Amino acid sequence: MATMMNSTVFGTVVPHKNPTILRPLPCSLEELFCGKVKNYTHEKKIYDSSGKTFTVHKSTLQIYLKPGWKAGTKITFPKEGDVIPNIEPADLEIVIEEEPHPLFMRENNNLILRKNISLLQALVGFSFSVPYLDGSEFAVDVESLTFPLTPKVVQGKGYLSQRDGSAGNLVIFFNILWPKVLTEEQKSILKKGPLSECEYLGLL
Amino acid sequence: MATMMNSTVFGTVVPHKNPTILRPLPCSLEELFCGKVKNYTHEKKIYDSSGKTFTVHKSTLQIYLKPGWKAGTKITFPKEGDVIPNIEPADLEIVIEEEPHPLFMRENNNLILRKNISLLQALVGFSFSVPYLDGSEFAVDVESLTFPLTPKVVQGKGYLSQRDGSAGNLVIFFNILWPKVLTEEQKSILKKGPLSECEYLGLL
């Protein structure tokens, strides 16, 4: 068990306090987007006056996730540490962690999506449905040409800023997939088609 | 002028020697590829016995560049430093530097070329002429599809290795240029063409 050690400040005996206890709370990107009340099961030891035997006390702490909270956000429950005679119980700090998501990544208040598209889609445009963090779906239409390394930004579809209440963006990066093989006949059709007539960006 | 300071080694007075003088010699990629005799104009001061007055002596040193020499190669001319009474003249070290080239870069013994091609060329193949470092030209034929970030390697067209006499490669990176704009008509032709029929790499 912990040692009993007191400090003296200006002649007054101040009970020793153990260092703050940090505990991670993994949250999904959906939970941090929508907000949620999460339960956290907390255990602490309560020592008797001898300081040698203890009972374990289990409690459920409720954490009110606010929409937009980030990894690293801390919620403090004061004096939730073990109860030991002559020692002030430590504080408990719950630290928000972001769980990996199968589709999205988060960068600050932006939501990042990577999507494979074919070369044809990159040239002629396309639309697709995004299964969103609040359970809804919405359509993204890309009418113009998609250039390599140039993301599509959907304004306001990111996380709420805790600082000023503004919304981040959904940033979609496209991975343009290439034809596996083209036959000689296909090549000769392409040579006579639109790609032989159009103007190219920066061709010397 | 330099100070006169001697050292004693095993009872013998060893004349002080000034630190080696380093001088850069910028060389073109062509010169380092083909080899060349380069002249280097060297000036040194020759002090009289008083050590207070000197005359300037100009000479032309010849440097025999071997094919394949790299930046950092050093050629030593012993005792070519200033002539000062009671001091052993310093050595002169000529250090090879590579001048920037308008077309090529060098990485070890490989020659790197970056070339813009149109998306059509990437799909249907193309050939082009490379103005080479020895003054010749040679043709590079790319018959298959060019994939983004995948270079074409032409074996043996790089620099000679000074270590084992083998030759490096010419590595050509293609920058695939995109159509600036496509009309609705061009898009509808593309939608019915080979790019709508072919199999794509890794499309889910």
Side-chain angles (χ1 to χ4, degrees), chain A residues 117-124 176-179 195, chain B residues 119 123 178 195 200:
Chain A
I117 59 170
S118 72
L119 178 60
L120 181 65
Q121 288 176 310
L123 294 174
V124 303
I176 301 173
L177 302 175
W178 229 240
L195 294 180
Chain B
L119 177 61
L123 294 174
W178 228 241
L195 295 180
Y200 283 91

Side-chain angles (χ1 to χ4, degrees), chain B residues 131-193:
Chain B
Y132 200 43
L133 292 178
D134 61 3
S136 71
E137 294 226 343
F138 67 89
V140 174
D141 294 309
V142 183
E143 283 173 22
S144 53
L145 276 162
T146 297
F147 297 98
L149 307 176
T150 310
K152 162 110 183 155
V153 177
V154 187
Q155 300 283 341
K157 285 289 190 184
Y159 279 80
L160 272 186
S161 163
Q162 287 296 300
R163 210 169 41 193
D164 60 12
S166 67
N169 301 322
L170 169 64
V171 183
I172 310 170
F173 287 93
F174 297 107
N175 179 29
I176 301 173
L177 302 176
W178 228 241
K180 201 167 178 176
V181 72
L182 289 168
T183 64
E184 288 308 313
E185 198 194 331
Q186 287 175 321
K187 285 183 187 177
S188 68
I189 295 170
L190 283 171
K191 278 182 201 171
K192 294 174 214 143

Side-chain angles (χ1 to χ4, degrees), chain A residues 4 15 49 63 66 69 81 99 101 103 146 148 159 178 196:
Chain A
M4 283 173 274
S49 58
I63 290 121
K66 284 191 192 164
W69 271 11
E99 289 172 340
H101 193 276
L103 203 60
T146 297
Y159 279 81
W178 229 240
S196 68

